[in-house]
Amino acid sequence: MKTFTYDPLYLFINGTNVTAGDRDTVAVINPANGTTLGRLPLATDADLDLALDVARDSFEIWRNTVPAERARIMKNAAALMRERAEHIATLMTLEEGKPLAESRDEVLRAAEYFEWFAEEARRINGRVVPANRPGVLQMVKKQAIGPVAAFTPWNFPAITPARKLSAALAAGCSVILKPGEESPATALALARCLDDAGLPKGVLQIVFGVPDKVSAKLIASPVIRKVAFTGSIPVGRLLSERAAAGVKPITLELGGHGPVLVFEDADIEAAATGGAANRFRGTGQICISSTRFLIQRDAYDRFVELFVAATEKLIIGDGLEEGTQVGPLASQRQLDKMASLVADAVAQGAKVLTGGKRIDRPGFFFEPTVLADVPMTARIMHEEPFGPIAVMRPFDTQEDGLAEANRLPYALSAYAFTRDARTAIDVGDRLEAGMIGINQYRIIATELPFGGMKESGHGSEGGTEGIGHYLTNKFISQI
């Protein structure tokens, strides 16, 4: 296999690469073989203070940069991301583990977000409202809300930062971004594209550190006017409390446990083979992934047979190897969680139809696993697995299926397969999820909102809805 070089790691503050020096560092591990790729410096209090000062000062510059110029810089950055896509994708696969083909696609889609929101920057429109008194001019303006603290996880290290950065920058906000420490080089590569495209120094800072320490300091600072977070529900609750203390708006994209309703009249083969591909893409470490497959009873055996067959054909390996479809989990912690969830389900009577155990090779590999007859008391029926495990359960009526699909507090994504138009309309209306796929699993697009309901968060990223969270309304009445 070809040898690849991993980029140096640093903090990015005021347009400067801040190397480790005497700062604490953590190892960044290649999950495919357990080797150390590099050591990541962790921000000190002084580093965070500097990032806040710079974000405050640069906001005044960037908010007053005309939208056409903001758009030009963002489009140039997107072009650089496309030019550097192979290098950035390789970094992503090295540190996160997903197959190189998936990493390439993610980088290109990240570039699309910058292109999309570059155009949205030119469409931040206010309005003039007729007054009820003569000689009065009434206007509503939309202006950048202020410096943003953004927090993103390790599993999509390009597209998740891109959703936040592109909308915030288009609106005229400065940003302090803290990506996941497990996959830092990808976010730094995006920052280099923006810097090389001409983004004014200090408009974007990237810091790393102990998550609780960094979030507490940034959110408490009066400099920060807006918070955006993607991650787990418990951390989302904590950051919501911290933002509320300063009466700061927060956008949350949290966990999911995506139900799939497969009705007996559906294209069972397409639902099953597509379901296996969707479930195990990214090694199942995807918040919108299908996890609970709920199949109408008359179609259950056929669906499960096809799903298991498709699962067993998947090629598992290092993401840098040609043909790999399922890479390693991101960490030993993820590996231990999968083993624990399977053991718990089996102890309570579940059947392992395929997979179910760690793969004996270097790295954090776990077999793509299909569980059936899982009792409702099993942890996996209540907890987001966030790994390569699929659960099969039959249902009888539409009411039964919807009741199980909507049972959990998670409401990020859901899917349904049916040939009946009335059924499609009904489940589209009644499924409790922010994003729903009918007869398809690929539901994400740059021009559409991305976000959930209930405990899966609030607010949307992407689409015309995405930029609104980084703007504030100002009403001006003038005589």
Side-chain angles (χ1 to χ4, degrees):
M1 187 170 63
K2 187 178 176 182
T3 302
F4 297 92
T5 302
Y6 190 67
D7 284 357
L9 300 173
Y10 47 83
L11 311 174
F12 185 71
I13 301 175
N14 201 21
T16 300
N17 300 346
V18 180
T19 55
D22 58 359
R23 294 169 177 81
D24 291 339
T25 63
V26 294
V28 177
I29 303 299
N30 183 337
N33 55 33
T35 60
T36 297
L37 293 166
R39 297 202 66 87
L40 179 68
L42 305 182
T44 63
D45 281 341
D47 292 325
L48 297 177
D49 286 335
L50 177 59
L52 287 163
D53 289 344
V54 171
R56 179 195 59 225
D57 295 343
S58 64
F59 172 61
E60 296 304 319
I61 298 170
W62 188 239
R63 72 185 295 192
N64 291 314
T65 301
V66 297
E69 177 63 6
R70 295 203 298 266
R72 185 190 67 80
I73 291 170
M74 291 176 64
K75 286 182 178 180
N76 286 345
L80 290 174
M81 289 172 201
R82 293 182 183 280
E83 288 177 17
R84 302 171 185 178
E86 190 67 18
H87 177 70
I88 300 172
T90 302
L91 294 174
M92 191 188 309
T93 294
L94 283 169
E95 61 188 9
E96 197 275 343
K98 67 182 61 175
L100 192 54
E102 291 183 19
S103 295
R104 291 187 186 110
D105 179 66
E106 183 176 340
V107 175
L108 296 178
R109 287 193 293 140
E112 285 181 7
Y113 274 99
F114 285 95
E115 291 169 338
W116 166 267
F117 279 106
E119 290 299 326
E120 287 296 285
R122 300 165 66 96
R123 291 190 285 266
I124 301 173
N125 300 316
R127 69 185 193 274
V128 175
V129 181
N132 58 8
R133 292 177 293 148
V136 176
L137 175 64
Q138 297 181 154
M139 297 177 289
V140 178
K141 288 187 174 182
K142 294 182 181 292
Q143 297 182 331
I145 195 169
V148 174
F151 305 88
T152 59
W154 46 263
N155 61 323
F156 277 90
I159 203 167
T160 309
R163 284 195 188 105
K164 292 171 172 55
L165 291 176
S166 58
L169 294 176
C173 298
S174 57
V175 184
I176 302 176
L177 171 69
K178 194 204 84 63
E181 282 71 26
E182 296 88 345
S183 51
T186 303
L188 290 171
L190 298 187
R192 282 195 296 275
C193 291
L194 285 159
D195 189 52
D196 291 345
L199 186 71
K201 305 298 182 185
V203 173
L204 171 62
Q205 331 287 324
I206 297 187
V207 299
F208 302 96
V210 178
D212 185 60
K213 173 184 172 183
V214 175
S215 66
K217 187 171 182 68
L218 294 183
I219 295 173
S221 170
V223 170
I224 297 301
R225 303 285 182 84
K226 159 74 181 175
V227 182
F229 172 74
T230 297
S232 71
I233 289 175
V235 176
R237 288 196 187 101
L238 175 63
L239 298 197
S240 290
E241 292 172 2
R242 289 176 174 170
V247 199
K248 299 175 183 181
I250 182 169
T251 301
L252 296 171
E253 190 262 290
L254 307 178
H257 204 334
V260 182
L261 288 172
V262 181
F263 291 89
E264 59 190 10
D265 66 341
D267 183 338
I268 302 302
E269 183 172 0
T273 57
N278 177 266
R279 178 66 200 114
F280 300 114
R281 185 173 69 89
T283 320
Q285 299 170 123
I286 301 175
C287 56
I288 65 166
S289 181
S290 49
T291 56
R292 292 178 293 145
F293 290 84
L294 313 174
I295 308 105
Q296 202 157 26
R297 198 169 297 276
D298 285 351
Y300 181 80
D301 289 342
R302 176 62 175 157
F303 179 93
V304 171
E305 177 187 4
L306 290 167
F307 191 99
V308 169
T311 299
E312 291 177 341
K313 292 177 183 176
L314 293 169
I315 300 171
I316 303 163
D318 188 319
L320 295 176
E321 294 173 354
E322 191 69 31
T324 292
Q325 295 170 292
V326 180
L329 288 156
S331 65
Q332 182 65 48
R333 181 179 69 252
Q334 289 291 101
L335 193 61
D336 292 342
K337 180 182 178 182
M338 296 308 105
S340 176
L341 287 172
V342 171
D344 172 76
V346 170
Q348 298 191 56
K351 294 179 182 177
V352 178
L353 302 184
T354 189
K357 60 185 183 298
R358 176 176 179 165
I359 299 173
D360 185 17
R361 59 176 289 174
F364 309 126
F365 289 89
F366 196 86
E367 293 176 331
T369 300
V370 181
L371 300 178
D373 300 333
V374 184
M376 294 302 294
T377 53
R379 284 171 49 206
I380 199 166
M381 295 306 300
H382 307 273
E383 299 178 21
E384 179 184 23
F386 215 64
I389 305 174
V391 176
M392 305 283 135
R393 284 187 64 87
F395 72 90
D396 292 304
T397 67
Q398 182 183 126
E399 291 295 325
D400 295 336
L402 284 166
E404 171 56 24
N406 293 335
R407 173 180 58 87
L408 295 178
Y410 301 100
L412 187 60
S413 64
Y415 306 85
F417 287 80
T418 177
R419 286 190 173 100
D420 184 80
R422 181 73 260 168
T423 300
I425 292 170
D426 287 346
V427 297
D429 285 342
R430 297 178 64 189
L431 279 169
E432 296 175 354
M435 298 171 283
I436 297 171
I438 306 293
N439 294 322
Q440 62 169 328
Y441 290 100
R442 192 175 180 94
I443 59 174
I444 303 306
T446 313
E447 63 273 14
L448 296 173
F450 186 102
M453 300 162 51
K454 295 163 52 174
E455 291 188 19
S456 287
H458 52 76
S460 295
E461 299 178 324
T464 56
E465 294 82 359
I467 198 169
H469 300 291
Y470 299 96
L471 297 167
T472 188
N473 295 318
K474 180 182 288 186
F475 162 50
I476 302 171
S477 183
Q478 176 181 335
I479 295 178

